Every structure is written in structure tokens, then in C-alpha cells.
Amino acid sequence: MKFDHLEDPDNDDLYEQFIAHVSKTDQDLAKEAKTGKKSTTELKLFVAKNNGFSSSDLPDIIDDILTSDDTNQRPRDFFEEHHFDISILNEDCAHLIIKTPKYERKDDFLIVDSGGYTKFLTAIRRKWSKKTVEKLIQYFDTLERLFITSDDLEGIVDNTSNRNLTGFTAKYKPFYKEERVSVQVHGGTEKHLENVESEFSARPKRIEFGQEADLDDSSQNPIRQDGGATNSTSNVVDAAIRQDGYASVPQVRSGSEDVGVSTIKDVMSSYEQVDQEKFNVDHRPERIKPGERYFISQLDLDEFEVDDSEKQPDGGLPDELRTLDQGSVMEGVTIWHFEEQMPGKNYPGEQAVAEDLEREIFDYKDRYSYSKLQKCNFLVYDREHGESFEIIISGQNIRVYAKSNTTSSSFREFYNILDTDFNSTYGFEKESAQLRA
Amino acid sequence: MEWEQQEAYLKIHNLFYSAVHGEVDQGLVDYGYRVPGEFTIAENRKKGVRCQPPFTLYDNNNLIFVDIVKPGRITADTVTRLSKYNNLDRESVENYLDRCDLSSSGYSKNELDNFDSCYVMSKRQYESHLSGGPELQERLDDLKTEGSIITASPGGKLIKENGGIHDSKIDQILSQGISIPNRTGKFVHLPRTVYPESLTVAICEEIVAGSDLSETGIKLRGSTVGDHFGREIETDLGHRVLEYLRKINACRVKQGESEYTFTKYNLDVVLSIRKRLATDPIEETLSDDVGGSSSQDMSLSDFTSSN
């Protein structure tokens, strides 16, 4: 992938370079169908939450990691075994080259940093992206891979007109029985997914979709026979999205490159929007003392001759100031309501759910310290993120309460663990309210 | 007050708060009410009356002071204390709003249509007074004459039991009641009387668990724990509680110093503090110096004399 020939490229110009890589004519596609081999690699996209990452700081961050005594051996090896070159392309974008001397490899990536999220685009094989850019995201403290729900994954396909589900991987992994179901369907429809959901209780973890030419025009949408149809011929872009912010585009029909560009832009912004809506802690029970406002901004402390060498709660302060310093407010609350979407027969009672959750997650995962406050009620501390949250199990559902230091990081991690290791069929909604006036 | 009863005291604050943000139904916040202050001072200087309501509800035009009735028997002192809200006048309430930091968009100090107060207690406590002897019933009646009583119960409702609140909107909402789930989130609202046990829970669950301990620890002093809550807490009480926490290995202190350090290595004790209070009562643990003295061990007098 080369960007040197582009003068003052805007983001779209850069995306077009990737789209061109997967652009295929009818002849190309016919050849692929005949030989059963893809003529190009897929365009890949990784979306990560940006918690302070900046492309231009990349050399410094790597330097810090390599010189710090606290760095784990694996990240150290990774950053020693690769070379990283970065060149800034425009306000949002940078070209990253990761060289792997051992295999004489030189891989290209586009970093797009905007709206609080960092996106990585590449056209290398997954095998190599796993060994390069995905490791980089994993080892940078300031980047976090997303993890969205099955519902929201479906939403990215359903909420856009002229987008058709064409395949999926759906899983069912309940915590209360030794049942493991994984169903892969290629060339299916929404109907197939519905059938798999009702038959196996499985929820989609990866969805393939086709994008028709006109993103806003649904008049061309062909009417399909239930279960009988395969990929709609009017799809000009094929793509796949997964829960962990990884999307891929295997092909774009030659001549519809603009639809390809708008599709990847829409996928990026959909991931970002879903993450913000569901994971951002808009309000937290942080204690705020209105009195501090007066101390800082409104009253001249000299006036009151306060000795600030040792501020005492009682004496020393004039009554007027003491009165102002009394009281506090809680900023607000955020609660995530998890709902079991596949309740099923023989579902255990809440006490059993709580016991399993305690044993399989809180006890088992090193990152958590926890305490059982009462029946079906846990106070949990994520030691790696340095954040706490509270859990209440109620029937088949779970509520997660943000504490004063909870951010999307510890909650996202918890949901990822819950969905991957415990129970694959929870959906959740967020409720957030400001309580101070 | 026994720890068990204190826990009930903490709980009633949470039941109320749950209905404010609305976990099951629409909460008071959905009707435009906010909580601008907890224990902010409201006073009528002319009459020499000073109140510190645990909660206040404010919707820009109406303000309701909400006090929490201590678990157990309603005492004459409680009735007297709660009756003071009726000595606050419009000026007191306006000054109160000045002390609150109204900084949210859409909320500011306005000409008030109504101001009022009400008293929250657990449904069980209310019913035990109703069905109790004449003395209990009389006490409840005394309280009712001072303002509306609102009861709350887990799995039940936050609901008005008597009288009318001047603000007709909230009066109607509370007449119908707001549902409360069986179990509510445990935000720490330090009650009016700061007992050592509730302060211990507040330090552990709000300050320590609410801090980022991933890289470093946090340091607390007996003289400043009250600052966090905007409450006047005796330095001595702060020290006692921190010394208790040291004894049960929730934190460490260097000999001769008064800063207690909490790190992630002691989190198990910090998080399970409610259980520890039941198994290792504070008074007993603090007085149990025999055999437990280490080089770090310091008695309370060491602190009080050095301050």
C-alpha cells in the first residue's frame, strides 16, 4: 500500500487506496468462483477506543515501553522484534509501517484517529495482522479494542437501508449446562439467523452482509423467498463485522468503489456510536463538595486569615466558611441492565446464577478482587484498571452499577469476559442519570 | 447502635435514592427532580435554627427537604429535630440554594413556588409503630403533625403515608408511589449520626474502592476523612476507624506517622468490610491489644497526644 503519490490526501482518498485493493470486476469474481481462490486479501479494519493515544507519539511510547523496568517480557520482545515507522498524512491519518526483519516483512497500516477512537486499516493477511497491529493495540495502554453486543452487531446491519445479512457465526454457550453450539452460515439471510436463534438459542458473534449500490434507496431491494435466496446480486460490497471491533471487506464490485468507501466509514462510525451509547459512563456516583467552589473561586481566603498549613475540620475556620464547606452531592448514576435473551427451560434460580458467576468469573479471574455484600450482590474491584463496580443478580438478569471510579474500560472488559467465558446470550441496556442539580 | 441496625440505617438511604433515580419505574429524576445537596446547611439565623437535610429534592420551582428517620423507636428528640424544618422560611431556603452548587444546565436558583419537608422511614418501622403500643402510635402521630411521612421497602414502593406536600406534582407521584427493586445498589450515604461502623464502610466502599489502586495506593488521615464527605467528623473518630482498619489488615501505617496507606494488596479486607464489622466489632478489636502488639502497633492515645 502506497500513499506517497497522493497530494494532501483527505481521509476518503486514503480509504480509496484500500478499496481499490479489493475492487473486483465480474471477470475477477467469476475467476474466483471457478478456482475457489480469492484473488486478493481482505481489507481489514480494527476499531479501538482511544484513551490518550496519538500517532505522532508512537515512537516515544515504544521507547517508554522498551526502557521501562515494568514492561512484561512479551511486549518487550514484540517491540524489539519489529521496527515501526510512522509518517503523518493529514490531521487524522498516519501511515504506519511495521517491519519484521526475521521474516523480511514490511507491512502497511493506515491509522485513523478521530472522535475519540483509533481505527487501523490494513490489507495484510489475518495471520500477520494478529502478529503485528493487533499486538500493538493490545500492548498500548491507551488503546482498547471494542466489544459490542450481538444485538448491536445486528443493528449495524439492520439500521442501514440496502444492507442485507448474507451470513453469520452464531454461538450458544450457557453457563449452566455443558452445551456448546456454534453455527456458521454463508450465503444465508435474516431468516436463517432467526431459525438458528430459535432452534439453538445461539446469538450472532460475526455477521456478513452485502451493501447495495444506493445506501439510501431501498426501492431496489429484491424480494427474496424465505430461506431460498443466496447473496443478492445487487450487493456491490461484501463485508463482515465482529463484536470486537474487527471488520473485513473481501470485495467491492468494480465501479462501486464509492459505496465501498461509504460502507467502511459507516461501519467505523456505527461501532463508535454503539460504544459511546452503551459503554460510556455518562454520570457516576462521584461525591462533589459544593463548598470547594467557594474556597477556590469566590472567597479570598486572606480575608478570613485561614492558616492553610494545617486545615482543621473544626477550629480555625470562621463560621461563614464552615457553613459553606458542609455538605456534598452525588453527581449521578449509571446502571447497565443485563437481560438474558434466551431464558430456556431448567434455567437456574438467581442464587445459582450468583454462585456460578462468583466461581467462574470473580474467583477465577486474577484481575478481580470482590466481596459478596449480601445474597446475589457483589462489590467488585478490577485491579488492572483500578476501578470498582457493583453487581446485583435478580432472577435471570444482572444489574451492574457504576461506582465513582468506573469507566467504560472496566465495564467493557467485564462484558467481554461475561459474553466470552460465562454466558453468550445476555443483551444489555444502559440507564444513566445526573442527580445533582 | 449495633452494626446490624446501622446497616438498616444505611439501607433506608439507598432505598430512597433508588426511587430518585428510578430503577424499576420512572424515578423522581425523570419528573425533573434533582438532589442538589446532601447535608448542606439550611438555617434561619433569626430563629437560631440550623438543619442539615440528608437529601433535598429540587425541580427549579419547588424544593423539598428530605430527612431520614433513624431505625428503631421514634424518639422525642427525633420529632423535635425534624420539627425544625418548619422554622425555615423562604429566605433560609434561598440561602440554602446559594450554598448548593447549581451548575447543571437547566438548573438555577429561581423564585420558589413551594418549599416543604418530608421524612423517610422504612415501611417495617412505620408499621411497627402503627401496630405497637399507644406510646409508639403517639410518637408516630407527633411526627405526622410535623410533615408527611414517606415509607420505603425493598421490593415495595417509596410512598407517602400521610398529609400533603405543597408541591402538588411530587405529592401526586409519591401518593402513587415509586417501585423499588428487591435489592438496590449500595451507594454510601453517610447517615446523620456518624457511627464508627458506618464511617468504616464509607471509607472502604466509597473512598478506597473508589480510588485507582492499579499503580499506587492512597493515604488517609484521621483528621481529613470527613473532608471527602463534606461532613464534620471528629479527628479522634477518624483515627479510631483508621486504626481499626489497620488492625484488621485493611491498611498500613508507618510507626510514628498518622497517614494510613491503602493498596490493592489489601483489597480483599477492604471490600469485605461489612462482614468484618460483624465478626470483628470495632470496640472489641481496638481494645484487644493483648498479644496483638507489633512494632507498628500504636494505641489511640499516641495519636490524640500528637495532634
Side-chain angles (χ1 to χ4, degrees):
Chain A
M1 198 68 53
K2 294 248 184 302
F3 306 109
D4 308 347
H5 61 291
L6 299 168
E7 250 179 75
D8 294 330
D10 63 19
N11 294 13
D12 282 13
D13 297 334
L14 296 163
Y15 301 149
E16 275 168 20
Q17 301 299 305
F18 286 95
I19 293 297
H21 174 77
V22 290
S23 167
K24 289 165 195 180
T25 61
D26 285 349
Q27 288 92 323
D28 293 334
L29 292 171
K31 198 177 166 194
E32 282 189 4
K34 201 174 165 187
T35 58
K37 274 185 188 168
K38 295 283 178 195
S39 57
T40 69
T41 52
E42 296 180 351
L43 157 57
K44 294 170 190 63
L45 166 69
F46 303 92
V47 186
K49 180 89 200 298
N50 181 338
N51 296 325
F53 170 84
S54 155
S55 298
S56 52
D57 295 344
L58 197 125
D60 291 339
I61 307 170
I62 294 171
D63 214 38
D64 285 349
I65 292 174
L66 286 174
T67 51
S68 165
D69 294 338
D70 300 333
T71 304
N72 190 297
Q73 194 55 40
R74 280 181 201 285
R76 187 184 297 280
D77 291 347
F78 172 76
F79 288 108
E80 277 173 356
E81 286 164 10
H82 298 81
H83 296 296
F84 303 84
D85 288 331
I86 190 118
S87 47
I88 306 299
L89 299 167
N90 68 24
E91 202 180 317
D92 295 338
C93 301
H95 179 197
L96 170 69
I97 299 171
I98 303 183
K99 291 179 189 156
T100 314
K102 194 176 168 187
Y103 299 103
E104 293 177 1
R105 285 189 67 87
K106 180 171 164 287
D107 297 314
D108 293 291
F109 305 90
L110 178 69
I111 306 180
V112 187
D113 201 2
S114 59
Y117 293 84
T118 307
K119 285 77 67 175
F120 295 82
L121 275 76
T122 187
I124 60 173
R125 291 187 185 285
R126 186 76 203 280
K127 177 186 161 189
W128 292 108
S129 77
K130 277 186 179 174
K131 289 180 179 178
T132 53
V133 73
E134 292 183 60
K135 281 274 180 273
L136 183 124
I137 300 173
Q138 185 191 337
Y139 292 146
F140 274 13
D141 289 343
T142 47
L143 291 173
E144 263 172 60
R145 288 281 288 272
L146 303 191
F147 197 83
I148 67 171
T149 64
S150 300
D151 280 344
D152 291 324
L153 204 58
E154 281 187 89
I156 292 180
V157 178
D158 291 346
N159 299 341
T160 308
S161 62
N162 289 357
R163 198 169 274 180
N164 313 303
L165 185 143
T166 55
F168 56 86
T169 304
K171 284 186 178 161
Y172 179 53
K173 179 185 178 296
F175 63 95
Y176 61 95
K177 51 185 174 186
E178 288 298 322
E179 211 173 310
R180 300 284 179 273
V181 176
S182 182
V183 181
Q184 267 190 48
V185 173
H186 297 290
T189 65
E190 196 79 46
K191 188 76 189 162
H192 289 104
L193 180 55
E194 282 168 24
N195 290 344
V196 165
E197 289 192 331
S198 60
E199 191 72 25
F200 302 105
S201 300
R203 300 285 288 135
K205 305 295 167 185
R206 175 179 183 275
I207 295 181
E208 296 168 12
F209 67 86
Q211 178 69 57
E212 293 175 27
D214 192 339
L215 258 78
D216 298 315
D217 181 10
S218 57
S219 62
Q220 293 174 19
N221 202 352
I223 300 159
R224 283 187 230 110
Q225 300 297 316
D226 278 354
T230 54
N231 293 7
S232 160
T233 48
S234 53
N235 291 334
V236 294
V237 178
D238 282 355
I241 48 175
R242 300 201 329 182
Q243 282 181 291
D244 59 357
Y246 166 45
S248 53
V249 179
Q251 64 195 43
V252 172
R253 194 173 290 260
S254 176
S256 296
E257 285 81 0
D258 57 331
V259 185
V261 170
S262 49
T263 302
I264 55 172
K265 280 163 72 176
D266 181 74
V267 166
M268 286 192 262
S269 68
S270 299
Y271 269 122
E272 293 174 16
Q273 199 184 335
V274 163
D275 184 71
Q276 265 170 19
E277 277 171 15
K278 299 300 251 322
F279 292 85
N280 259 20
V281 184
D282 308 321
H283 303 287
R284 48 173 69 82
E286 190 180 7
R287 198 171 288 282
I288 298 163
K289 286 185 294 169
E292 280 170 356
R293 174 182 57 130
Y294 292 91
F295 276 100
I296 295 160
S297 63
Q298 295 210 338
L299 292 171
D300 184 354
L301 286 178
D302 293 343
E303 247 177 76
F304 296 94
E305 293 179 344
V306 178
D307 179 14
D308 58 8
S309 63
E310 181 75 33
K311 203 184 100 198
Q312 291 173 359
D314 293 305
L317 286 179
D319 196 47
E320 208 168 325
L321 270 183
R322 272 183 49 204
T323 314
L324 287 173
D325 199 30
Q326 289 298 295
S328 63
V329 282
M330 287 269 201
E331 200 274 327
V333 294
T334 294
I335 307 171
W336 291 276
H337 296 265
F338 282 75
E339 197 183 62
E340 173 60 78
Q341 295 177 318
M342 299 291 166
K345 281 181 199 162
N346 306 323
Y347 204 91
E350 59 184 16
Q351 187 109 24
V353 178
E355 281 165 15
D356 282 359
L357 190 66
E358 180 176 5
R359 190 180 55 247
E360 289 181 33
I361 306 294
F362 302 138
D363 244 357
Y364 186 70
K365 298 280 176 189
D366 274 349
R367 67 183 313 122
Y368 294 127
S369 289
Y370 77 99
S371 161
K372 192 169 158 185
L373 294 176
Q374 62 171 8
K375 202 174 119 187
C376 300
N377 184 189
F378 300 96
L379 179 59
V380 183
Y381 195 96
D382 180 331
R383 296 144 64 98
E384 285 175 33
H385 285 299
E387 299 176 10
S388 56
F389 51 88
E390 188 181 339
I391 304 267
I392 288 179
I393 294 105
S394 174
Q396 298 174 353
N397 303 329
I398 295 177
R399 293 195 295 276
V400 181
Y401 295 75
K403 292 286 182 187
S404 61
N405 57 349
T406 315
T407 72
S408 57
S409 302
S410 59
F411 175 67
R412 194 184 291 111
E413 190 85 50
F414 174 70
Y415 172 62
N416 191 337
I417 289 172
L418 200 70
D419 188 78
T420 311
D421 298 339
F422 186 67
N423 193 38
S424 59
T425 48
Y426 285 123
F428 72 83
E429 292 300 328
K430 184 183 88 180
E431 173 198 339
S432 198
Q434 181 166 21
L435 291 184
R436 72 178 302 197
Chain B
M1 197 188 257
E2 295 290 318
W3 164 234
E4 206 174 306
Q5 209 175 8
Q6 283 187 55
E7 208 168 15
Y9 199 11
L10 291 175
K11 189 173 177 178
I12 187 76
H13 290 73
N14 281 137
L15 296 180
F16 172 76
Y17 210 65
S18 167
V20 173
H21 60 81
E23 286 185 66
V24 185
D25 299 339
Q26 298 248 293
L28 289 172
V29 72
D30 299 305
Y31 295 100
Y33 293 93
R34 296 284 179 87
V35 182
E38 290 183 29
F39 289 100
T40 303
I41 291 171
E43 59 185 350
N44 183 336
R45 291 194 177 183
K46 285 167 285 183
K47 289 193 174 171
V49 169
R50 177 181 277 200
C51 302
Q52 277 187 281
F55 298 104
T56 305
L57 296 166
Y58 181 61
D59 75 344
N60 254 334
N61 305 105
N62 301 282
L63 184 140
I64 303 103
F65 293 122
V66 180
D67 212 307
I68 306 286
V69 180
K70 215 188 259 192
R73 291 165 75 100
I74 300 169
T75 63
D77 282 353
T78 300
V79 177
T80 310
R81 185 175 62 73
L82 296 180
S83 74
K84 287 184 181 169
Y85 285 102
N86 296 319
N87 286 327
L88 297 174
D89 57 12
R90 186 171 288 271
E91 195 189 341
S92 323
V93 179
E94 283 172 356
N95 288 340
Y96 174 88
L97 279 171
D98 278 336
R99 284 190 198 101
C100 296
D101 181 8
L102 303 180
S103 57
S104 301
S105 56
Y107 286 82
S108 57
K109 186 182 156 190
N110 292 312
E111 182 84 11
L112 287 169
D113 294 339
N114 298 287
F115 57 95
D116 211 334
S117 57
C118 63
Y119 315 114
V120 175
M121 65 168 76
S122 77
K123 184 87 178 171
R124 187 185 287 183
Q125 183 186 16
Y126 182 79
E127 282 172 349
S128 73
H129 279 75
L130 272 187
S131 61
E135 203 187 324
L136 288 177
Q137 287 176 22
E138 200 185 321
R139 204 69 93 199
L140 187 65
D141 286 341
D142 289 348
L143 194 56
K144 282 179 178 173
T145 61
E146 301 297 343
S148 290
I149 292 177
I150 315 289
T151 60
S153 57
K157 283 184 167 191
L158 181 80
I159 193 161
K160 192 185 71 173
E161 299 289 350
N162 71 293
I165 302 175
H166 286 122
D167 166 11
S168 58
K169 184 173 69 173
I170 204 165
D171 188 70
Q172 206 185 337
I173 297 166
L174 290 175
S175 299
Q176 292 187 347
I178 299 170
S179 297
I180 299 172
N182 275 327
R183 301 180 190 93
T184 58
K186 289 183 173 50
F187 305 105
V188 182
H189 297 283
L190 207 48
R192 175 175 306 284
T193 315
V194 183
Y195 294 97
E197 288 79 4
S198 39
L199 181 60
T200 307
V201 171
I203 287 174
C204 288
E205 292 184 6
E206 185 168 314
I207 303 182
V208 183
S211 299
D212 180 358
L213 304 173
S214 59
E215 306 277 333
T216 55
I218 57 153
K219 291 179 188 296
L220 294 179
R221 280 171 183 274
S223 57
T224 54
V225 286
D227 287 358
H228 173 88
F229 302 97
R231 301 285 294 278
E232 284 188 50
I233 290 168
E234 296 287 332
T235 299
D236 186 52
L237 174 60
H239 278 318
R240 283 171 64 78
V241 164
L242 288 172
E243 188 53 17
Y244 166 74
L245 287 169
R246 183 193 68 74
K247 283 208 156 194
I248 61 167
N249 290 321
C251 59
R252 287 172 293 137
V253 65
K254 276 189 193 157
Q255 193 164 16
E257 288 186 6
S258 52
E259 269 190 336
Y260 291 73
T261 307
F262 294 79
T263 66
K264 62 178 168 187
Y265 305 108
N266 303 87
L267 267 171
D268 288 340
V269 183
V270 168
L271 298 178
S272 58
I273 192 63
R274 288 173 194 250
K275 269 177 249 161
R276 289 304 286 267
L277 285 167
T279 56
D280 303 290
I282 293 183
E283 288 313 314
E284 229 172 80
T285 308
L286 283 177
S287 62
D288 181 22
D289 265 339
V290 187
S293 299
S294 67
S295 59
Q296 287 190 337
D297 215 336
M298 303 165 86
S299 75
L300 194 57
S301 59
D302 291 331
F303 289 108
T304 43
S305 60
S306 68
N307 274 277

